[in-house]
Amino acid sequence: MFENLEVNHVINPVTALAFAKFRSRLLLLAGEGPYLKVFDHETTRLLDAVRVFESQAVHGITTSEFSGSSNGATVVKLLVWGNRCLRLGQLHDDAATAKPKMVLELRQEVQADDWILDVCFLPDGSDAVFVTAHDVVFHLINAPGGQDVTLRRVADGPKSMLYSACIDWSGDGRVLVAAGTVFGEVLLWSISEPFFEAGTISRAQSQLHYRFTGHEGSVFGVRISPLLSGFCSEGGRRFVASCSDDRTIRLWDVSSLDGHEATPGENIDKDEASIESLDDPSRRLARGRCVATVMGHVSRIWNVRFLVSGSRVDIASFGEDGTAQSWQLSQKPLVKNALTRTGLDYVHLTHRQTYACHSGKNIWASALFQTQDGSHIITTGGGDGRIVSYDVNRDDDITKGGTFAGRWTMEEVEAVLEEPGTSSTDGKQASLSERIFNALVGDWIIKRDIRSALPTYPSGTFSGEAYFKSRSPSSKNVDKEYLYAENGTFSTDRGLTFQATKQYVYTYQRASDTVCAYFVKPEDGKSIDYLFHKLQLEESTEAKDSQNGQDEYVVKASSYHLCVEDHYTPRYSFHLRNGIVHDWDLMYEVKGPQKDYVTTASYTRRFDGGNRDSGRSHGHHTCGIDRASKEGLHTTKDVFKSYTFLTHSAFLVTTAQGKVILGSSTDSIDYPSELPTPSHGGPRVRWELIARLQALTSWSMTTRVVGSELVLISGTDGVVFWYGSAEQRIRPAFELHRKAAFLYAQKVNEVASPSKGQVGVERHLVLATCLGIPEAHVSNRRGNLSLPESFLVTSACYVEVINAWMLGSRNGALAIYDTSLFPDDADLLEPSFVLQNIHGEDAITVIQCLPEQKTHQSVYILTAGRDGHYAVYNITTTQKSHGQEFTLLTVHRSTPTFGPNIEGAAFHQRTHELLLWGFRSTQFVVWNASKNMETMTIECGGAHRHWSYIPRNNGGDGGTFVWTQASVCHVHSQAYASHQVFQSGGHGREIKAMTLSPILWNFDSSSNQYIATGAEDTAIRIWSYDRVHGSTVGFKCLGTFTKHTAGIQQMQWSDDGRLLFSAAGCEEFLAWRVRPVPWIGVGAVCEAVCPKVSGDGDLRIMDFCLEEINNGQQENQNHKDEARDYRISIVYSDSSLRIFHYTSHSTRGGHFTLLRTGTYTTNCLTQILSLPQQQVDPSTQSYLLTASSDGHIALWPFSSPSLPSSPSSTTAIFSAHRHPIHQSAIKSLALIPPSSTGNGYLLLSAGDDGALGITRLTLPPITTTTPSAFPSPCPSLFPAFSTLLYPKAHAAAINALASIKTLPCGPFANSSLIHTFVTSGNDQRVKTWRVEFLPNRPGTQGLRLKKLGDRPTSVGDVAAVGILKGDGEGGRDIGVLVAGIGMECLPVVEKGVGLGDEEGGGTVVAEGAVIG
């Protein structure tokens, strides 16, 4: 028999996460289905995994840490809950071992009478309280030193139906409960009685404080903030954050818990509706109302959390769109028109960062941990089963060890390359407006006097600081932009004093030579809102007295602005001394119906080193306009041009003035103290001027030599230079006829006789093309390569093992050249062949050999392009009299989700993982194709800029990216991936189809069985399963393929395992060629697409069956590339059936031909099988068997036709006989092949009615005169059906059924058999069965059904089960795979089987009754 199934490995949605600190170790606890997993956060290693509940999924985990023993050992208490189930446990040291060892111990399970929504421990960590779905709080009492856990009902909140809740301690002895209802309300109530004290048995009193409305859907998540003492100047604040079905996050002020219940419409008190009260800091945040609302996710938001670090408060949100987003909480500046708005918000949520590291939908779980430096670790678990952790610092940059980012202006770089004033002078003179604008950057000391003629407006003085900070222009029409901000103290003449701030944005447009001032938006205090005024500079300057020989003069400007009814007239006076703006004045005259005042402000530059952007730190050597500029001389501003890396820590930069600069950007450098800090933060970088080359002025091209630390540099004159990190000098290499259009170089080994194994001599091959010349220059060769017409080279690679150049073009063409054929009498080599459109009509950006290839007859190459695809080709060579003959075969083609532009690729030498990088909209993305995840995402502005990237070969997915944005050089470097992955997970949506291949042999002579899964996320994944005893590796994803546009419904392997067929909605049917590929794992290419016959775009393929047709030819095992023919029968959701002929060739693709069409009744066809024939040639007579939504099966006999000459010559097929089995739709079928005697079949069926059917089917004898549709009334010509039905096999619909094994049994092996199989369905149970069959008995009298095992599965909505073939001795170890919302492997061990073995053979549930 087969014993009960035990869990081996699972991939389920992660539904709960929590952190725990055990000794000095940070642990991550994860709930995945009914299992609790414990990870070491630093190493991501799985430490332990236990089954907490039998079948219930874990919905929440909470922890409490304390020292709970006399020897001071750390104990971590934990509570795990799901639905109504709850278990108390703890992590502690193992007392039985001398060395500290963590032990996970769980207490008995207890059940509440309602769904548990949130749990928290009491302050002392002993007991706990929890809130349920009907707003009731319970006290969980943990008996000291015992195993008893009891529950006591403590208090009832407002009567409502909750979707979410949060329970926490207020800090003043009260328990706070925030609740989100299904009707969109947010409730806050508390329990003040100390019910948890010893001896207290009475019910506690509850008090409702707030009932908020505003959400337009169910509230899915609520969270209570801690008391925020540093957020507002007026004292502590407490908020409740909520998220909803309406995709909004709302923030509610609940600072006051005075017993007042806010009415739904109440937002602001009457006494707050005045200018005086609004100016009063104590009244800025109205009590008990919604103070902020924001919408950011593209779908529903499931949960929110607070991130508090000092005065900084952020909110993290987690949504159905699979993203986590962070929002910064800030106070809004006050505005005077507050009287006109009801419920004006004084708190603002600003979006900071989006983390998109999950596939598909839904982040179900999240956990936060605050580190000692105040930053936070965010960990998320998704519906895809992936667990990801991010480190978020206070600036919301994703940080890991060795990560930094910095920005440098050209002025900052020049400051360390040369002394001030030694720059070359060239180009047009800057205008007076631009010179004044440039002089404003930096820090200023401000003093302002306000004189008002009206008593309603106060007079007084303001003193403080201001700065102009350079930033990227907000508009493409603006050349330069500053953010102006001031902060100081305003003192009225009446003795009142308070803090005041103000922000503006100043811009300069070179085309109109205009300086403008703008108001900023009050929400963030930095974005441009609308125009304030334009500065009109006067033509003349006013001279001042000259002292000590210093030249002093004044530049004036004025403007005008009408604000509703108020007139503003600003007047500027800029005071310069020797070209430096040391101070300036600004006066405003304001006139209006209720305003009449004049402000006079004086600004003095700070030179005390505390500036943000002035002086050498910003590259303005004189902090203003030098004397040469005043006299008409102007220094042309240099700009960054090209970047190329020498190593991951050093790169070359060329500039428009011909400079070649070496930048060293590693954190291991011992930086001199005089090196400048970048203007926007980040580390110091060593900048070294290598050379000035006149040829690089205005244009340059650089490229790294593949495999070495060398760089090629070329300019407008066609001369190509070398620069090496070892020599640290530039030397000429060769000269082209004109300016280079493309440069490529790689290190190669020149071996005189490879067969003798001689050591090669290193050298470098260079390939270059010039504009307007249809040839490619090759160094160290006798001639050049002739380029095809309109072939603009964008990528190249020299394949040393086959002596061939491969060139990629801008229009997607690939050209291959046999370099052994360089002619003696000519200098141009023609291509051996050109393959068009391998990447559509987009540029090929990557051509490279897969590493470690030594054979001279076959090689694998990788290509990638701006069409968003990458592909692997197997190139084989055959020596002919005229040279080599190349054969190119596509073995893998895939589309990463980060596209569309792929710009580079590399393989990790250690991990063998493939990295791709490119651009997605305005982001630069690095994608690990082997792990199917992003490892770096940088907001850079898009692909149209100068940039370079180099990965690190440390196996940690690190790399360095340098780029130009808004004329500023940016550097981002990280030693590791931007996030940690604890487990990779799987599909982002529910799996709908699964199929297992036969045992296959890999390229490395190892064997494997592939598992193919298809899901609603339209992706196909190929898996292997690691069955090493004691290992938790389990499922390993070998590849992900996407081409379907609708959810996948069914899949099936061919008998040889080389073809995979997939069916989906929208009538999509694809044939995939699957092969093992070195360094890739499993490669797949869509070989053919079945043409759509109907015009119904919503037509769904329900099922199909596959038969290989040998056409009387014996398979030749030595010729695996021979054409193979298949007959594919497909049933559709419109009750139609079609039969196709498919011809497959491994090198030429495949072709579908429609043979027959048929139509069932109005009921939908759900399943189809082909009945194998033993005594009849299947090429002349065949049978199809279908199942439908009416619970019937039907036979479809037909004679196999030859291929039709045209689509119009296809013939019809009809169902000949129907037989009822189930009361509703049949969801799964399995066929037991006929025994060695007779034409009998056993058909296993599972239905939507939860029943299990065993049907005995006997076909009539087939003769040459037998018609195809049984028209004769003779009973012997009709099929015989007999069904044994077990109506309550499962408590819900049975969706999947799979055969395990068929064995002959009894005294005569050919007279009886037993068959074992498994079923699973919506009741989340996996059951094993055995059917015993005696063919010599009539009807169902020879049938007996036994149930052998019944175990729960953690997989929801089970759609498929499969049998993993064993690799143990005798092949007797078998794994049952269950797929649906997740995947699970249940090992089954066969102990013994025998007909009539009543003691060990299971429970008989049905036998002997003839139903049909």
Side-chain angles (χ1 to χ4, degrees):
M1 60 169 285
F2 289 86
E3 284 196 320
N4 289 343
L5 304 174
E6 296 295 338
V7 174
N8 199 350
H9 191 70
V10 296
I11 298 179
N12 283 332
V14 178
T15 51
L17 290 170
F19 281 105
K21 199 70 176 295
F22 182 77
R23 292 189 176 273
S24 60
R25 241 170 149 179
L26 182 60
L27 304 178
L28 177 66
L29 310 179
E32 187 177 359
Y35 307 102
L36 176 65
K37 296 182 177 180
V38 183
F39 295 90
D40 186 304
H41 187 269
E42 182 178 356
T43 64
T44 70
R45 187 168 64 92
L46 180 64
L47 303 177
D48 200 359
V50 296
R51 188 164 194 146
V52 180
F53 305 116
E54 180 183 10
S55 58
Q56 173 60 48
V58 175
H59 291 157
I61 307 168
T62 188
T63 62
S64 177
E65 304 161 14
F66 64 99
S67 180
S69 63
S70 58
N71 60 4
T74 299
V75 175
V76 176
K77 281 198 172 184
L78 56 105
L79 273 168
V80 185
W81 73 91
N83 197 340
R84 299 187 302 115
C85 307
L86 190 147
R87 291 192 73 175
L88 179 68
Q90 64 181 17
L91 294 166
H92 59 83
D93 286 331
D94 188 0
T97 60
K99 296 182 179 180
K101 180 182 178 182
M102 185 190 72
V103 175
L104 175 60
E105 177 187 346
L106 292 175
R107 304 279 289 276
Q108 66 182 19
E109 178 182 325
V110 294
Q111 288 198 353
D113 58 3
D114 198 359
W115 191 288
I116 301 172
L117 295 181
D118 194 29
V119 181
C120 76
F121 278 100
L122 270 63
D124 62 358
S126 57
D127 296 351
V129 290
F130 61 89
V131 59
T132 63
H134 283 83
D135 219 4
V136 179
V137 171
F138 285 82
H139 180 197
L140 183 145
I141 303 172
N142 178 23
Q147 294 293 320
D148 294 335
V149 177
T150 58
L151 302 180
R152 183 171 68 88
R153 188 165 182 162
V154 173
D156 293 5
K159 293 186 179 298
S160 57
M161 297 175 61
L162 306 187
Y163 209 114
S164 58
C166 175
I167 187 168
D168 202 359
W169 296 95
S170 66
D172 58 359
R174 286 187 286 191
V175 176
L176 292 180
V177 179
T181 73
V182 297
F183 305 110
E185 293 180 323
V186 177
L187 311 176
L188 182 72
W189 58 285
S190 67
I191 308 170
S192 57
E193 183 179 342
F195 59 88
F196 50 86
E197 293 182 356
T200 301
I201 59 174
S202 61
R203 295 278 292 274
Q205 297 297 318
S206 62
Q207 183 178 21
L208 176 65
H209 300 285
Y210 297 102
R211 184 189 300 271
F212 298 116
T213 60
H215 281 296
E216 297 178 0
S218 299
V219 179
F220 294 139
V222 290
R223 189 70 57 175
I224 305 172
S225 78
L227 192 62
L228 307 175
S229 58
F231 177 70
C232 302
S233 59
E234 58 269 22
R237 282 296 190 208
R238 193 189 300 275
F239 298 103
V240 169
S242 60
C243 58
S244 169
D245 195 15
D246 59 8
R247 300 188 293 130
T248 65
I249 301 170
R250 293 178 181 265
L251 196 66
W252 315 87
D253 179 22
V254 295
S255 302
S256 175
L257 300 178
D258 54 4
H260 169 68
E261 177 181 348
T263 60
E266 182 178 6
N267 281 315
I268 191 167
D269 295 337
K270 293 181 180 180
D271 62 344
E272 290 178 334
S274 64
I275 294 293
E276 289 77 13
S277 63
L278 287 175
D279 286 342
D280 183 359
S282 65
R283 307 298 292 176
R284 289 185 182 179
L285 284 173
R287 308 291 182 174
R289 64 185 185 89
C290 180
V291 295
T293 302
V294 71
M295 178 181 291
H297 291 266
V298 298
S299 54
R300 293 175 290 184
I301 306 174
W302 297 129
N303 204 358
V304 288
R305 287 180 178 270
F306 284 94
L307 289 73
V308 181
S309 179
S311 61
R312 171 76 177 267
V313 180
D314 287 9
I315 291 177
S317 58
F318 312 92
E320 186 184 23
D321 56 4
T323 68
Q325 302 187 25
S326 63
W327 310 80
Q328 184 176 353
L329 190 63
S330 59
Q331 285 187 268
K332 286 185 178 180
L334 294 176
V335 293
K336 293 191 174 181
N337 61 347
L339 282 172
T340 63
R341 296 180 57 186
T342 301
L344 181 67
D345 294 345
Y346 293 101
V347 174
H348 184 65
L349 287 172
T350 304
H351 184 266
R352 307 297 297 177
Q353 186 74 32
T354 297
Y355 308 96
C357 294
H358 292 272
S359 60
K361 288 186 174 184
N362 298 316
I363 292 181
W364 292 125
S366 61
L368 298 180
F369 182 80
Q370 187 170 7
T371 60
Q372 293 181 352
D373 62 357
S375 61
H376 288 85
I377 300 172
I378 300 179
T379 302
T380 57
D384 56 356
R386 179 175 291 178
I387 301 176
V388 183
S389 183
Y390 329 86
D391 288 358
V392 184
N393 66 14
R394 301 187 182 189
D395 295 325
D396 284 299
D397 291 325
I398 302 176
T399 61
K400 292 295 296 177
T403 299
F404 68 81
R407 296 181 252 178
W408 289 263
T409 65
M410 178 56 73
E411 289 83 357
E412 289 173 337
V413 176
E414 287 177 337
V416 296
L417 294 178
E418 49 199 9
E419 292 298 322
T422 61
S423 302
S424 59
T425 58
D426 189 17
K428 298 180 180 180
Q429 178 181 355
S431 68
L432 181 61
S433 299
E434 184 175 2
R435 299 201 304 270
I436 291 292
F437 186 88
N438 293 339
L440 293 178
V441 68
D443 288 14
W444 303 86
I445 299 173
I446 178 175
K447 293 183 178 180
R448 180 181 293 117
D449 182 74
I450 303 175
R451 297 293 107 190
S452 175
L454 301 177
T456 57
Y457 198 92
S459 298
T461 59
F462 171 86
S463 61
E465 296 180 351
Y467 66 85
F468 288 86
K469 184 175 181 180
S470 177
R471 68 182 190 183
S472 300
S474 303
S475 170
K476 63 181 180 180
N477 299 323
V478 173
D479 297 285
K480 301 177 182 180
E481 186 171 299
Y482 296 151
L483 173 65
Y484 170 87
E486 67 180 39
N487 183 33
T489 302
F490 178 71
S491 300
T492 68
D493 291 348
R494 297 181 180 181
L496 297 177
T497 300
F498 56 88
Q499 293 294 114
T501 62
K502 185 183 295 183
Q503 297 87 25
Y504 296 108
V505 172
Y506 281 74
T507 65
Y508 174 74
Q509 185 182 47
R510 189 173 290 112
S512 61
D513 193 30
T514 304
V515 177
C516 297
Y518 291 85
F519 290 106
V520 297
K521 294 181 178 180
E523 291 83 2
D524 57 10
K526 61 182 180 180
S527 301
I528 291 178
D529 197 352
Y530 58 91
L531 179 66
F532 186 12
H533 59 265
K534 295 182 180 179
L535 275 70
Q536 303 293 331
L537 267 68
E538 298 179 1
E539 293 292 332
S540 60
T541 60
E542 175 185 346
K544 296 178 65 177
D545 295 337
S546 178
Q547 299 177 357
N548 301 325
Q550 295 182 347
D551 185 14
E552 299 180 9
Y553 56 99
V554 178
V555 178
K556 293 186 177 182
S558 61
S559 186
Y560 172 79
H561 172 69
L562 176 63
C563 181
V564 189
E565 297 178 337
D566 300 327
H567 302 264
Y568 289 77
T569 305
R571 293 184 175 88
Y572 294 80
S573 297
F574 301 97
H575 306 273
L576 295 93
R577 185 181 305 120
N578 288 339
I580 302 174
V581 179
H582 283 268
D583 54 270
W584 56 285
D585 302 322
L586 174 58
M587 182 181 71
Y588 280 98
E589 292 183 0
V590 182
K591 298 286 186 178
Q594 298 181 6
K595 294 182 181 179
D596 186 3
Y597 65 89
V598 176
T599 68
T600 304
S602 63
Y603 294 80
T604 304
R605 183 178 293 279
R606 285 186 54 176
F607 288 102
D608 58 1
N611 55 329
R612 294 174 175 82
D613 293 291
S614 61
R616 292 174 61 88
S617 70
H618 200 278
H620 293 273
H621 312 303
T622 60
C623 303
I625 306 173
D626 59 19
R627 188 180 182 90
S629 299
K630 175 178 176 292
E631 296 175 354
L633 297 177
H634 175 67
T635 301
T636 301
K637 183 178 179 181
D638 204 356
V639 294
F640 301 104
K641 298 301 290 185
S642 64
Y643 304 95
T644 302
F645 279 95
L646 286 161
T647 66
H648 76 271
S649 60
F651 57 93
L652 282 187
V653 187
T654 62
T655 73
Q657 291 184 0
K659 299 187 187 77
V660 180
I661 302 171
L662 176 65
S664 301
S665 60
T666 176
D667 50 0
S668 63
I669 290 181
D670 183 15
Y671 294 105
S673 59
E674 66 270 14
L675 291 182
T677 301
S679 58
H680 300 279
R684 294 186 175 100
V685 167
R686 184 192 300 275
W687 300 98
E688 182 182 355
L689 180 63
I690 302 299
R692 291 175 181 267
L693 299 176
Q694 184 65 31
L696 304 185
T697 304
S698 74
W699 185 90
S700 60
M701 175 181 289
T702 58
T703 186
R704 182 172 183 260
V705 179
V706 178
S708 66
E709 297 180 3
L710 293 173
V711 171
L712 290 180
I713 309 171
S714 183
T716 55
D717 60 358
V719 178
V720 180
F721 299 89
W722 294 99
Y723 176 81
S725 58
E727 297 181 353
Q728 295 187 351
R729 66 183 181 90
I730 292 179
R731 55 186 174 85
F734 56 90
E735 185 175 357
L736 302 173
H737 296 293
R738 58 180 69 173
K739 184 170 70 173
F742 174 77
L743 274 178
Y744 173 81
Q746 73 178 68
K747 183 178 69 175
V748 296
N749 291 319
E750 189 79 323
V751 181
S753 178
S755 61
K756 295 181 181 180
Q758 297 181 359
V759 178
V761 179
E762 282 192 8
R763 63 186 182 86
H764 299 90
L765 279 183
V766 179
L767 183 141
T769 64
C770 299
L771 292 174
I773 300 178
E775 62 183 63
H777 170 78
V778 180
S779 66
N780 299 328
R781 286 294 184 183
R782 295 189 297 270
N784 295 339
L785 307 180
S786 176
L787 299 178
E789 184 179 358
S790 302
F791 195 98
L792 300 179
V793 181
T794 55
S795 56
C797 179
Y798 180 70
V799 186
E800 193 171 359
V801 294
I802 59 174
N803 298 317
W805 272 104
M806 297 188 180
L807 306 183
S809 76
R810 182 178 293 178
N811 59 5
L814 178 70
I816 300 181
Y817 297 81
D818 184 359
T819 58
S820 65
L821 297 179
F822 268 116
D824 296 330
D825 55 350
D827 61 352
L828 287 180
L829 178 65
E830 298 294 332
S832 298
F833 75 90
V834 178
L835 190 63
Q836 300 289 343
N837 304 121
I838 67 169
H839 284 278
E841 296 182 353
D842 294 292
I844 301 175
T845 56
V846 175
I847 304 176
Q848 61 179 252
C849 269
L850 271 63
E852 300 178 2
Q853 299 188 73
K854 301 178 181 179
T855 176
H856 291 261
Q857 288 76 39
S858 177
V859 66
Y860 289 89
I861 66 167
L862 170 76
T863 68
R866 294 192 178 126
D867 61 345
H869 300 281
Y870 75 93
V872 178
Y873 300 90
N874 179 224
I875 300 177
T876 56
T877 61
T878 305
Q879 194 65 39
K880 301 291 184 180
S881 57
H882 59 278
Q884 296 184 101
E885 181 178 272
F886 298 96
T887 302
L888 188 143
L889 177 65
T890 307
V891 297
H892 181 61
R893 187 173 179 86
S894 184
T895 306
T897 58
F898 80 87
N901 294 339
I902 302 177
E903 300 290 343
F907 287 93
H908 271 310
Q909 295 295 327
R910 260 187 3 183
T911 63
H912 288 200
E913 293 173 351
L914 172 61
L915 293 180
L916 303 169
W917 56 85
F919 293 89
R920 174 182 59 208
S921 184
T922 60
Q923 295 177 329
F924 176 79
V925 179
V926 181
W927 177 266
N928 189 314
S930 302
K931 295 179 180 177
N932 197 36
M933 71 174 189
E934 294 180 13
T935 61
M936 178 189 289
T937 304
I938 305 297
E939 186 67 43
C940 68
H944 301 291
R945 63 196 63 252
H946 298 289
W947 64 275
S948 186
Y949 174 77
I950 186 171
R952 295 194 183 191
N953 282 322
N954 60 355
D957 289 322
T960 305
F961 179 51
V962 56
W963 76 100
T964 300
Q965 186 174 4
S967 300
V968 177
C969 172
H970 298 247
V971 178
H972 180 97
S973 180
Q974 61 187 49
Y976 305 98
S978 57
H979 52 271
Q980 287 180 297
V981 178
F982 292 81
Q983 60 183 34
S984 299
H987 288 279
R989 298 285 302 277
E990 58 271 26
I991 298 173
K992 290 296 185 181
M994 179 177 65
T995 180
L996 282 76
S997 75
I999 299 294
L1000 301 174
W1001 292 97
N1002 299 325
F1003 61 89
D1004 58 357
S1005 300
S1006 63
S1007 63
N1008 206 344
Q1009 186 178 19
Y1010 294 149
I1011 307 164
T1013 57
E1016 285 290 345
D1017 60 4
T1018 73
I1020 295 174
R1021 288 177 178 255
I1022 306 295
W1023 308 79
S1024 64
Y1025 187 77
D1026 187 352
R1027 286 159 289 176
V1028 178
H1029 294 293
S1031 171
T1032 57
V1033 175
F1035 297 105
K1036 179 182 179 181
C1037 184
L1038 304 177
T1040 303
F1041 320 124
T1042 55
K1043 191 174 179 65
H1044 285 285
T1045 62
I1048 296 171
Q1049 300 295 315
Q1050 191 57 269
M1051 295 190 302
Q1052 186 175 341
W1053 290 95
S1054 62
D1055 290 339
D1056 60 2
R1058 296 189 180 97
L1059 288 177
L1060 175 65
F1061 297 89
S1062 60
C1066 301
E1067 206 175 340
E1068 295 177 349
F1069 190 86
L1070 308 181
W1072 303 81
R1073 174 71 61 172
V1074 181
R1075 303 177 177 88
V1077 178
W1079 288 77
I1080 297 294
V1082 174
V1085 177
C1086 182
E1087 188 175 83
V1089 178
C1090 183
K1092 297 181 180 180
V1093 179
S1094 72
D1096 185 2
D1098 296 329
L1099 187 60
R1100 186 168 69 253
I1101 295 177
M1102 304 299 296
D1103 194 18
F1104 68 92
C1105 63
L1106 179 70
E1107 303 170 83
E1108 184 173 359
I1109 305 172
N1110 293 324
N1111 293 327
Q1113 300 177 1
Q1114 186 176 1
E1115 181 181 359
N1116 189 341
Q1117 296 294 337
N1118 296 324
H1119 296 84
K1120 297 181 180 179
D1121 290 337
E1122 294 293 330
R1124 292 176 179 264
D1125 295 301
Y1126 298 89
R1127 185 166 57 227
I1128 303 173
S1129 304
I1130 307 175
V1131 291
Y1132 299 84
S1133 56
D1134 63 350
S1135 301
S1136 63
L1137 182 152
R1138 300 189 187 107
I1139 302 176
F1140 292 88
H1141 181 275
Y1142 179 69
T1143 300
S1144 171
H1145 198 286
S1146 63
T1147 59
R1148 297 196 297 268
H1151 177 70
F1152 287 92
T1153 304
L1154 180 62
L1155 300 178
R1156 291 181 179 271
T1157 61
T1159 303
Y1160 188 62
T1161 66
T1162 57
N1163 294 284
C1164 177
L1165 293 174
T1166 58
Q1167 300 287 310
I1168 186 169
L1169 292 174
S1170 176
L1171 300 184
Q1173 296 289 316
Q1174 288 188 341
Q1175 298 179 352
V1176 180
D1177 185 357
S1179 63
T1180 59
Q1181 185 72 36
S1182 298
Y1183 291 93
L1184 294 176
L1185 187 144
T1186 62
S1188 58
S1189 58
D1190 59 0
H1192 288 63
I1193 59 173
L1195 273 179
W1196 304 69
F1198 67 98
S1199 298
S1200 302
S1202 59
L1203 294 179
S1205 57
S1206 65
S1208 60
S1209 61
T1210 59
T1211 58
I1213 181 174
F1214 302 95
S1215 60
H1217 191 82
R1218 297 171 63 227
H1219 174 68
I1221 298 179
H1222 293 271
Q1223 297 179 359
S1224 54
I1226 297 176
K1227 306 294 288 290
S1228 184
L1229 290 177
L1231 187 68
I1232 303 175
S1235 63
S1236 57
T1237 60
N1239 278 336
Y1241 298 86
L1242 280 185
L1243 179 67
L1244 307 177
S1245 61
D1248 217 2
D1249 54 359
L1252 182 62
I1254 305 171
T1255 300
R1256 184 174 180 179
L1257 169 62
T1258 304
L1259 294 177
I1262 303 297
T1263 64
T1264 56
T1265 60
T1266 301
S1268 61
F1270 312 121
S1272 172
C1274 179
S1276 62
L1277 298 181
F1278 283 89
F1281 296 93
S1282 299
T1283 299
L1284 176 66
L1285 189 68
Y1286 181 42
K1288 296 181 180 180
H1290 282 261
I1294 306 175
N1295 299 327
L1297 183 154
S1299 297
I1300 297 178
K1301 187 175 292 186
T1302 302
L1303 294 175
C1305 185
F1308 302 101
N1310 62 353
S1311 62
S1312 62
L1313 62 83
I1314 62 172
H1315 183 80
T1316 53
F1317 62 97
V1318 294
T1319 59
S1320 187
N1322 290 342
D1323 58 355
Q1324 291 189 235
R1325 309 292 298 186
V1326 177
K1327 301 184 179 184
T1328 55
W1329 311 84
R1330 184 172 75 184
V1331 59
E1332 301 172 354
F1333 176 42
L1334 294 174
N1336 57 352
R1337 297 183 183 177
T1340 60
Q1341 295 180 20
L1343 296 176
R1344 182 165 58 180
L1345 178 65
K1346 292 184 177 182
K1347 182 168 70 173
L1348 305 179
D1350 181 0
R1351 287 295 301 266
T1353 175
S1354 62
V1355 177
D1357 289 347
V1358 174
V1361 293
I1363 308 303
L1364 190 66
K1365 296 184 178 179
D1367 56 359
E1369 182 181 356
R1372 301 173 71 89
D1373 292 335
I1374 298 176
V1376 176
L1377 300 181
V1378 185
I1381 303 180
M1383 297 172 63
E1384 185 173 33
C1385 180
L1386 307 172
V1388 184
V1389 180
E1390 182 183 6
K1391 282 192 172 180
V1393 292
L1395 186 64
D1397 183 7
E1398 299 296 333
E1399 295 181 357
T1403 302
V1404 177
V1405 295
E1407 64 176 331
V1410 180
I1411 298 178

